[in-house]
Amino acid sequence: MSLEARLESLKTRHAGVDARITDEDRRPRPDDDNLARLKLEKLRLKEEMERLRTRQ
């Protein structure tokens, strides 16, 4: 997989996780554990994207 394709894949996953965070946050009683897990996943994806961008 090329670097550009990997970045696009990560961006897509990041946007998906962001949407899941928004959905969970809008629930009447959001699951705090799930929100924390999703936010951590989003952060890891962001860090991976930044790491790849700095390699270019």
Side-chain angles (χ1 to χ4, degrees), residues 5-53:
R6 177 73 177 141
L7 277 170
E8 279 305 311
S9 173
L10 289 169
K11 285 180 192 177
T12 301
R13 287 177 54 199
H14 186 269
V17 171
D18 192 45
R20 289 169 56 199
I21 289 170
T22 301
D23 290 344
E24 183 66 38
D25 211 23
R26 288 183 178 163
R27 289 179 47 190
R29 286 207 235 175
D31 181 341
D32 291 334
D33 291 336
N34 192 33
L35 274 173
R37 184 185 58 76
L38 289 169
K39 287 179 180 183
L40 183 58
E41 183 179 349
K42 183 179 170 186
L43 178 61
R44 286 184 180 147
L45 290 167
K46 180 180 176 183
E47 289 172 344
E48 178 70 7
M49 287 187 292
E50 286 301 315
R51 188 181 65 77
L52 290 174
R53 284 186 188 121

